[in-house]
């Protein structure tokens, strides 16, 4: 999942932070802002954006929206808003009011600006495999806002472009009011910097904080790792593309290792299948040769088609039990080497971690015109192939 057009999630990029962010000043809520639930704030004002921070972010947002079309998609926006609200109380700035928008294009991307302006592209919403993965992307962007990485990035851009811009950013970081006319240039510089990407240090900070937000909000923090692994896999498997200004983005493999180390130290569940959409089981019924039989599927693979009743279960019920048992074991991190075939004479079975998930009876054999062993071996083969494909897809 993870990288096209703008080269990578802004979840995956930032510029060196040189000084700690000052305490923010109180700012009235913007009309379209997403209000976050009440929670004991870490500071007197809960970390609301200062007027200057909002002004700089708004100017950069104007520049962004000149280049990328904003979609009117209430359902997608509501999806993002709910995640923001759930995460916000667990951040350093719980009173920050975010203003998310959905962009039509821009590759698989997300980025946030000072003041809580946040953009999620439609391709990203379609690429993430679960709400947990989307929450990981959003948590990462919220961390950039909370840590004021955008302002640090704007200051870095200002150093290379204008003494005036540098003075404006210094005033913003100090919490001072600024002349609205002076932030026009800064907004343009910030837009360029955000789309170019952050430094390794800032990305690492955002990853680290995002993992904590996810954990405290009740999401599976392993989603932070699966998102970064997806980028790493794309980096290794896509044809070489000259990235220009994007080539300085931090190494996703390095980031993945750092997140894995953090998750291990936190002693959280490291099973990626909790947040991925693959390896889904399904039971169906179908008519074949004048008989209603069952079918067990693993993603798009047909695993087995029970054709006769057994132990008081119809073919459909046998398929449902097999699908349920297999999914339970997959969520328990089933591996290829744990799948094998056994033959008990009157029946053959596929064992997964020692449990029978598929049982082939003589009636199944007769209906399908294949031996017990052949049907069981094919079922085991399809399960192993699905597990193998998943392993390859997540490799980096």
């Amino acid at each position: 999942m993870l990288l096209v057009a703008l080269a990578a999630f802004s979840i995956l990029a930032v510029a060196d932070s040189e000084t700690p962010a000052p305490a923010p000043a109180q700012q009235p809520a913007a009309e379209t802002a997403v209000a976050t639930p009440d929670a004991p704030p870490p500071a007197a004002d809960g970390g609301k954006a200062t007027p200057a921070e909002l002004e700089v972010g708004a100017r950069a947002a104007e520049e962004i929206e000149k280049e990328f079309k904003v979609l009117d998609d209430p359902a997608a926006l509501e999806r993002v808003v709910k995640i923001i609200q759930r995460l916000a109380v667990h951040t350093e700035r719980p009173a920050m009011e975010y203003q998310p928008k959905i962009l039509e294009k821009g590759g698989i991307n997300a980025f946030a600006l000072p003041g809580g302006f946040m953009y999620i592209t439609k391709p990203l919403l379609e690429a993430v495999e679960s709400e947990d993965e989307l929450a990981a992307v959003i948590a990462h962007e919220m961390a950039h806002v909370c840590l004021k990485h955008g302002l640090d990035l704007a200051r870095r851009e200002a150093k290379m472009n204008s003494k005036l811009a540098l003075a404006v950013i210094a005033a913003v970081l100090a919490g001072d009011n600024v002349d609205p006319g002076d932030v026009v240039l800064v907004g343009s510089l910030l837009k360029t910097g955000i789309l170019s990407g952050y430094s390794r240090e800032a990305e690492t900070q955002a990853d680290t904080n995002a993992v904590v937000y996810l954990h405290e909000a009740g999401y599976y923090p392993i989603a932070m790792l699966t998102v970064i692994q997806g980028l790493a896999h794309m980096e290794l498997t896509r044809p070489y593309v000259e990235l220009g200004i994007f080539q300085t983005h931090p190494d996703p493999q390095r980031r993945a290792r750092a997140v894995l180390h953090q998750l291990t130290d936190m002693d959280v569940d490291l099973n990626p299948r909790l947040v991925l959409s693959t390896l889904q089981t399904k039971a169906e019924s179908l008519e074949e040769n004048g008989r209603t039989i069952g079918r067990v599927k693993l993603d798009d693979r047909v695993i087995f088609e029970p054709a006769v009743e057994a132990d008081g279960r119809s073919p459909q019920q046998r398929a449902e039990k097999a699908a349920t048992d297999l999914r339970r074991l997959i969520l328990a991190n089933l591996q290829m080497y744990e799948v094998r075939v056994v033959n008990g004479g009157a029946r053959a079975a596929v064992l997964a971690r020692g449990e029978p998930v598929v049982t082939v009876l003589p009636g199944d054999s007769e209906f399908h015109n294949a031996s017990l062993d052949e049907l069981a071996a094919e079922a085991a083969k399809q399960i192993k192939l699905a597990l193998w494909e998943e392993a390859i897809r997540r490799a980096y």
Side-chain angles (χ1 to χ4, degrees):
M1 86 181 67
L2 292 133
L3 176 78
V4 218
L6 292 178
F9 292 169
S10 182
I11 170 183
L12 312 162
V14 200
D16 295 323
S17 171
E18 299 175 14
T19 62
Q26 190 169 2
Q27 163 64 19
E31 184 178 347
T32 59
V34 176
T36 57
D38 293 332
D45 63 0
K48 284 190 174 183
T50 65
E53 195 176 3
L54 280 168
E55 182 67 21
V56 168
R59 292 294 182 176
E62 288 179 10
E63 294 293 322
I64 292 292
E65 292 177 28
K66 289 178 184 177
E67 187 169 345
F68 301 101
K69 179 182 177 181
V70 174
L71 284 181
D72 181 14
D73 190 337
L77 189 61
E78 179 65 15
R79 184 183 176 194
V80 172
V81 166
K82 286 182 177 179
I83 293 174
I84 290 174
Q85 291 176 331
R86 182 170 164 183
L87 290 168
V89 295
H90 303 286
T91 70
E92 297 84 355
R93 304 178 72 179
M96 173 65 66
E97 293 170 337
Y98 295 88
Q99 302 180 60
K101 293 184 180 180
I102 310 299
L103 297 182
E104 181 179 18
K105 298 180 180 179
I108 298 178
N109 207 345
F111 49 90
L113 304 170
F117 299 90
M118 183 182 295
Y119 294 92
I120 311 287
T121 66
K122 191 70 171 179
L124 185 146
L125 291 173
E126 295 168 348
V128 292
E129 297 192 34
S130 64
E131 290 304 283
D132 295 85
E133 284 205 332
L134 179 56
V137 174
I138 292 172
H140 182 101
E141 297 310 323
M142 293 172 74
H144 283 318
V145 173
C146 290
L147 298 173
K148 298 189 177 181
H149 285 157
L151 293 176
D152 287 331
L153 178 58
R155 180 180 55 192
R156 186 170 185 267
E157 290 290 318
K159 282 183 176 179
M160 298 182 289
N161 288 277
S162 166
K163 289 183 178 179
L164 170 62
L166 183 58
V168 173
I169 293 299
V172 174
L173 286 169
D176 298 335
N177 291 325
V178 296
D179 184 339
D182 290 340
V183 301
V184 176
L185 172 61
V186 175
S188 179
L189 294 177
L190 179 57
K191 172 249 185 179
T192 300
I194 288 288
L195 297 186
S196 298
Y198 291 116
S199 69
R200 177 178 297 165
E201 178 185 359
E203 285 301 341
T204 298
Q205 290 174 348
D207 287 343
T208 299
N209 286 31
V211 166
V212 175
Y213 303 163
L214 291 169
H215 183 54
E216 294 185 353
Y219 289 104
Y220 289 115
I222 186 66
M224 191 74 244
L225 181 61
T226 61
V227 164
I228 297 173
Q229 285 176 331
L231 173 65
H233 181 69
M234 288 190 67
E235 289 284 294
L236 289 178
T237 58
R238 68 181 182 175
Y240 175 76
V241 177
E242 175 57 54
L243 296 179
I245 61 174
F246 299 120
Q247 64 189 356
T248 59
H249 278 190
D251 176 8
Q253 296 183 54
R254 184 189 299 270
R255 290 178 59 198
R257 289 193 294 270
V259 168
L260 178 59
H261 182 74
Q262 180 185 4
L263 294 172
T264 302
D265 287 346
M266 292 171 64
D267 194 28
V268 299
D269 198 327
L270 297 179
N271 182 3
R273 293 173 187 164
L274 295 169
V275 299
L276 299 178
S277 62
T278 52
L279 297 180
Q280 298 293 321
T281 60
K282 182 180 181 181
E284 302 174 338
S285 64
L286 64 153
E287 297 293 324
E288 188 171 325
N289 297 332
R291 183 187 298 183
T292 301
I293 66 173
R295 172 177 285 170
V296 183
K297 297 184 71 175
L298 181 54
D299 290 338
D300 294 328
R301 295 181 175 278
V302 175
I303 304 302
F304 178 56
E305 294 179 341
V308 296
E309 292 185 4
D311 302 323
R313 294 189 177 93
S314 67
Q316 168 70 13
Q317 290 171 330
R318 289 177 62 196
E320 290 171 353
K321 184 178 187 304
T324 298
D325 290 344
L326 183 56
R327 179 60 181 167
R328 172 173 51 81
L329 291 166
I330 285 171
L331 287 176
N333 214 20
L334 180 68
Q335 301 298 312
M336 285 185 290
Y337 68 84
E338 296 177 301
V339 179
R340 62 189 180 92
V341 174
V342 295
N343 192 316
R347 61 180 60 191
V350 177
L351 301 186
R353 198 169 286 171
E355 295 186 32
V357 291
V358 169
T359 301
V360 185
L361 303 174
D364 301 318
S365 174
E366 181 180 353
F367 181 84
H368 292 295
N369 194 27
S371 71
L372 297 174
D373 288 344
E374 287 173 338
L375 291 174
E378 179 63 19
K381 173 185 173 182
Q382 294 302 322
I383 294 171
K384 289 182 178 181
L385 282 173
L387 294 173
W388 179 80
E389 287 179 355
E390 182 213 33
I392 293 299
R393 192 172 69 89
R394 307 308 303 181
Y396 67 97

